[in-house]
Amino acid sequence: MTMRTLRYVTADVFTSVPFTGNQLAVVFGAEGLPTETLQAITREFNYAESTFVMAAEDARTTRRVRIFTPEMEVPFAGHPTIGTAHVLVATGEVPATGDQMTVVLGENVGPVPVSLRLESGVPVHAQLTTALLPEERVEVTDLDALAAAVGLTRDDLVGGDHMPTGASCGLPFQIIPVRSVAAVTRARLDQAAWRRVLDGTWAPWPMVFAMARDEQDASLPAHVQGCDIRARVFVPGSTVPEDPATGSANAALAGYLAARTPRDGVLRWEVAQGVEMGRASRLSTEAEKSQGAVQAVRVGGASVIMCEGTLTLRH
């Protein structure tokens, strides 16, 4: 029997408060291991996602990163990208330089730059720029059925220019605008209805959101008060059926909102997600528009390192 030891660090991402946000395991030293072993390690952690950090394969990147859910490898995801960049700098794997620095992660969608803000050499905020610009596809036109898939009715939907649609900046989600934060809170995934309406489509995972500027709630945790948007993201078919913080979905949402905002410039939204799960998360999103077209989408937030350890593989 041979043994191989891998180092790992876990972090809570899109939060500045331990035990909130979205959990992530970042694993080092997995070079040469087969994909099925990386998948098994991910299932062992059983977080929404885990990442495997390897030597850069491209001179444009700082490190190669592979991202797995417990079920599959994914080409891009927001909280693993933000959390991995934070862990790399916070642990000294990538040396801290000044008050601002950038690491570029080589993911399956291509190089993803992450800008980090530091205080006294410690990262306090990380912001990714998506490798892909926003894309939309309308696949579902039965709005009654779509609303039912998330436990709501058609009357809860905003409609008009803000009709539901599939949207992506690297990973597609079904964007579903609703009229109130109360509707977001009331949403419940109906697995059978979801399978009939969204399973197998390009954008199968529902993101339900409402504008929250006029519906502030003093009972919210302090780190998510004052947000512009309240959102929930359901990921049926995965080990974690609801996600407490989804950078890829919020990137798609920023692109969706920017396309419907009649002005150029840098458009920004603060999003609270995970509130209903007891893992409140805060995501800072922005879209840069010029001459009516989205030129860039960015998502950022804080992270908190939770634990470090080693994983022993026996063969």
Side-chain angles (χ1 to χ4, degrees), residues 17 22 50 52 58 90 97 102 121 162-164 222-223 225 236 238 244 250 255 285 289 298 305:
V17 178
N22 204 350
S50 296
F52 296 86
D58 183 327
T97 56
T102 298
H162 291 81
M163 296 289 284
H223 69 288
Q225 288 186 15
S238 70
N250 278 277
T285 69
K289 278 186 76 174
R298 305 180 186 95
I305 289 181

Side-chain angles (χ1 to χ4, degrees), residues 4 13 17 31 46 73 113 116 122 127 130 144 170 176 183 190 235-236 241 259 262 267 289 294-295:
R4 180 170 174 177
V13 183
V17 178
E31 285 88 350
N46 207 35
E73 184 170 10
L116 294 105
V122 177
Q127 181 190 64
T130 63
D144 290 297
I176 306 175
D190 183 322
V235 280
L267 310 171
K289 278 186 76 174
V294 177
Q295 305 295 328

Side-chain angles (χ1 to χ4, degrees), residues 37-50:
T37 301
L38 305 186
Q39 189 70 73
I41 293 170
T42 303
R43 286 196 295 269
E44 185 71 14
F45 282 109
N46 207 35
Y47 291 163
E49 278 129 340
S50 296

Side-chain angles (χ1 to χ4, degrees), residues 203-249:
W205 293 328
M207 181 184 202
V208 179
F209 82 95
M211 305 311 293
R213 293 187 190 98
D214 299 325
E215 300 189 37
Q216 299 304 328
D217 183 352
S219 69
L220 289 173
H223 69 288
V224 294
Q225 288 186 15
C227 285
D228 305 299
I229 292 169
R230 176 79 70 83
R232 296 175 71 182
V233 176
F234 299 102
V235 280
S238 70
T239 300
V240 184
E242 183 175 355
D243 204 23
T246 317
S248 50

Side-chain angles (χ1 to χ4, degrees), residues 65-100:
V65 175
R66 295 178 68 180
I67 304 171
F68 287 78
T69 75
E71 291 77 30
M72 69 186 84
E73 184 170 10
V74 294
F76 164 74
H79 105 268
T81 300
I82 292 292
T84 299
H86 179 100
V87 166
L88 283 169
V89 177
T91 61
E93 286 284 336
V94 173
T97 56
D99 296 332
Q100 295 277 345

Side-chain angles (χ1 to χ4, degrees), residues 263-285:
R263 63 182 175 88
D264 288 344
V266 178
L267 310 171
R268 295 185 174 91
W269 299 271
E270 295 289 313
V271 183
Q273 188 184 333
V275 172
E276 291 77 12
M277 302 175 65
R279 294 198 65 92
S281 309
R282 188 183 189 108
L283 302 95
S284 301
T285 69

